[in-house]
Amino acid sequence: MTPPPPDLPQDTRHRLIEAAILTFAEKGYDGAGIREIAQRAQANSALVTYHFGGKEGLYREALHHISDRKASEVASLPPPPEPGSPGAREVALQGMKAYIRAFVTDLMSCPAESEVDAAAMALIGREIQMPHPVSAPVLLEFARPYMERVLALLRVLRPDLDPDAHLRMTLSIQGQILHFRNSLGFIRLLSGDPDFPKDLEVLIQHFTDFSLRGLGVPEAFPQTRP
Amino acid sequence: MTPPPPDLPQDTRHRLIEAAILTFAEKGYDGAGIREIAQRAQANSALVTYHFGGKEGLYREALHHISDRKASEVASLPPPPEPGSPGAREVALQGMKAYIRAFVTDLMSCPAESEVDAAAMALIGREIQMPHPVSAPVLLEFARPYMERVLALLRVLRPDLDPDAHLRMTLSIQGQILHFRNSLGFIRLLSGDPDFPKDLEVLIQHFTDFSLRGLGVPEAFPQTRP
DNA sequence: CAATATTAATCAATCGATTGATTCAGTCAA
DNA sequence: TTGACTGAATCAATCGATTGATTAATATTG
């Protein structure tokens, strides 16, 4: 039998952060205790103070850890076209479809793939709704690229609208998707379907169709109803 | 000088519930203490156990109180048309517009009108995202009419779609609006506009336009772009 | 009506449990 | 030896819950 993996020094810190993400996501900041988190990380609760200066520091570090891991995924999308460039509309249309797909897959990472990733997005969702005083800066930095990306695409797709209208549309697109992620448990209860959504691809297609129609980009749907 | 109003016995119970709604909405179930709630209600903390059997009972009663007060408002809308009846499409179209308006005004009751009402909807929003074990039954009963109403309208407006598609569309419509309500504070930070939305009517118009287009009901928008 | 008994409502005080934080002696590897 | 870490003990503070006493309103009785 193999011996337990050598416990590298830096490793404890990382285990604490991952255990914190899981526990904070399940029980919220007030509901989660540092004893429970430490036990989950197979570490001593005194290390929370030692490494992070306290519970609040651990929370901040956990959110920062999530933000760092996810930032690269948004940036990896092809950049939105310049408003005046040739073929900008078609590029922006494809960009919007790619964005919606990326947004959904980012948010809907299921526990089967990575338990921590799933908990991380649940935690972000909870924080967006009711930010802990400590988390506001981290959260703004995290959400900004998602927001800016859609706004840039909208400036190409709907140049006739003013910035306020662009903001409303951005929030409508993201809102539908965030609602699916944040209220998934409740939706399953309400609809009576415990394994909703059965197919993520169908869901992505729905968000894409609904949003592009909602945006009023008719060339994406030459004919809605015969 | 007039003496302080006589403190009717039943009144304390009601004051406790209202204080509970405010405090639970601000700090969550774990974050709010019965001492703070009692102090806010100018009552003794022992009365929480006396009247409601404990903190959990007070929470349950607070949610029930919200559910009871809001139930009548949904029911006051004109009933959705029968799928086969004459002029059903036009009636359903107007019904959908009325529903969206009612849903928005229900959710967006601002603190200026009634501090408790505003807190109540914030509390509901929080519970939908992460239901307390105690609240699931109350919450389902509360949300069911909202859900059923949209589904009934969709069966008329989009009879070509299956129930799963109807469910997705319902969640997209409600999701946008719930996201506005639940993340209002965050949106204000992110957009840099501290008094967003300036005009509720503009917002209602946006939700209506975006949703009806998204649903694919072309007669509502004979021409999206010239 | 008056005297008494009963119940509901409220209070201050306190309970044990748990919280986050801290301390400290000891382990282990570099 | 030094720095990273452990494990156990302990701290003050706060938590929800409970107690026993007190007041006010109501019912019962003579």
Side-chain angles (χ1 to χ4, degrees):
Chain A
M1 56 195 76
T2 53
D7 191 358
L8 304 177
Q10 266 300 83
D11 212 48
T12 303
R13 194 187 148 92
H14 190 257
R15 283 206 319 277
L16 275 173
I17 290 181
E18 295 214 327
I21 292 176
L22 289 171
T23 313
F24 282 134
E26 288 170 9
K27 308 194 171 185
Y29 181 80
D30 290 308
I34 58 170
R35 286 175 169 84
E36 180 185 0
I37 296 174
Q39 187 178 8
R40 199 167 194 163
Q42 292 180 305
N44 190 282
S45 67
L47 292 180
V48 171
T49 303
Y50 178 77
H51 280 298
F52 310 100
K55 186 184 184 183
E56 244 188 41
L58 172 58
Y59 194 61
R60 181 176 13 239
E61 212 55 42
L63 290 172
H64 217 97
H65 183 257
I66 298 172
S67 178
D68 286 348
R69 297 231 321 167
K70 284 287 173 183
S72 56
E73 300 190 15
V74 203
S76 72
L77 285 173
E82 284 299 315
S85 60
R89 270 194 78 81
E90 182 55 29
V91 175
L93 190 61
Q94 296 307 319
M96 186 65 81
K97 292 181 182 177
Y99 172 86
I100 290 175
R101 172 174 295 273
F103 197 67
V104 174
T105 48
D106 269 15
L107 287 175
M108 299 282 183
S109 55
C110 68
E113 303 169 13
S114 163
E115 195 182 4
V116 177
D117 277 11
M121 294 319 290
L123 184 54
I124 290 288
R126 182 207 285 258
E127 275 296 316
I128 287 181
Q129 176 161 349
M130 175 150 294
H132 189 279
V134 150
S135 69
V138 181
L139 218 59
L140 284 176
E141 175 198 3
F142 174 79
R144 183 84 59 189
Y146 287 99
M147 180 75 77
E148 292 297 340
R149 167 79 47 155
V150 186
L151 288 174
L153 292 171
L154 285 181
R155 281 192 288 269
V156 176
L157 289 173
R158 293 300 302 267
D160 53 319
L161 299 180
D162 62 292
D164 276 0
H166 287 156
L167 176 61
R168 287 192 293 270
M169 293 213 160
T170 301
L171 295 174
S172 278
I173 296 175
Q174 296 179 338
Q176 323 164 44
I177 303 174
L178 281 168
H179 180 244
F180 264 77
R181 139 54 73 187
N182 292 338
S183 314
L184 194 53
F186 187 69
I187 291 172
R188 284 174 176 156
L189 276 181
L190 204 54
S191 68
D193 183 357
D195 44 33
F196 173 90
K198 289 148 191 157
D199 189 351
L200 201 59
E201 278 303 319
V202 173
L203 200 57
I204 292 175
Q205 192 61 47
H206 161 76
F207 285 133
T208 307
D209 291 355
F210 192 92
S211 297
L212 288 182
R213 277 200 300 260
L215 290 178
V217 187
E219 63 261 43
F221 297 90
Q223 197 75 341
T224 302
R225 294 168 62 84
Chain B
M1 56 195 72
T2 55
D7 193 359
L8 304 176
Q10 264 301 85
D11 211 48
T12 303
R13 196 187 146 92
H14 191 256
R15 285 206 318 276
L16 275 173
I17 290 181
E18 295 214 327
I21 292 175
L22 290 171
T23 313
F24 281 134
E26 288 170 9
K27 308 193 171 185
Y29 181 80
D30 290 309
I34 58 170
R35 292 169 211 277
E36 180 184 0
I37 296 174
Q39 188 178 6
R40 199 167 193 162
Q42 292 179 304
N44 191 286
S45 67
L47 293 180
V48 171
T49 302
Y50 176 77
H51 281 295
F52 310 100
K55 185 185 184 181
E56 244 189 41
L58 172 58
Y59 194 60
R60 184 179 8 242
E61 211 56 41
L63 289 173
H64 217 96
H65 182 259
I66 299 172
S67 177
D68 286 347
R69 297 232 319 167
K70 284 287 173 184
S72 55
E73 302 189 15
V74 201
S76 71
L77 286 172
E82 284 299 315
S85 59
R89 269 194 78 81
E90 181 57 29
V91 174
L93 191 60
Q94 296 306 320
M96 186 63 81
K97 292 180 182 177
Y99 172 86
I100 290 176
R101 171 174 295 273
F103 196 68
V104 174
T105 49
D106 269 16
L107 287 174
M108 300 281 183
S109 56
C110 67
E113 303 170 13
S114 163
E115 195 182 4
V116 177
D117 276 11
M121 295 319 289
L123 183 54
I124 291 287
R126 185 204 282 259
E127 275 296 315
I128 286 181
Q129 175 161 351
M130 175 152 293
H132 189 279
V134 150
S135 70
V138 182
L139 218 59
L140 284 177
E141 174 198 4
F142 173 79
R144 184 84 60 189
Y146 287 99
M147 180 76 74
E148 293 297 340
R149 166 80 47 157
V150 186
L151 288 173
L153 293 170
L154 285 180
R155 281 192 287 269
V156 176
L157 290 173
R158 293 300 302 267
D160 53 317
L161 298 179
D162 62 294
D164 277 0
H166 286 157
L167 176 60
R168 287 191 293 270
M169 293 210 161
T170 300
L171 295 174
S172 277
I173 296 174
Q174 296 178 339
Q176 324 163 46
I177 302 174
L178 281 168
H179 180 244
F180 264 77
R181 138 57 70 185
N182 292 338
S183 313
L184 194 53
F186 188 69
I187 291 171
R188 285 173 176 157
L189 275 181
L190 204 54
S191 68
D193 183 356
D195 44 32
F196 174 88
K198 289 148 192 156
D199 189 353
L200 201 59
E201 278 303 319
V202 173
L203 200 58
I204 293 176
Q205 191 61 48
H206 161 76
F207 285 134
T208 307
D209 291 355
F210 192 91
S211 297
L212 287 181
R213 278 200 299 260
L215 289 178
V217 187
E219 64 261 43
F221 297 88
Q223 197 76 342
T224 302
R225 294 167 62 83

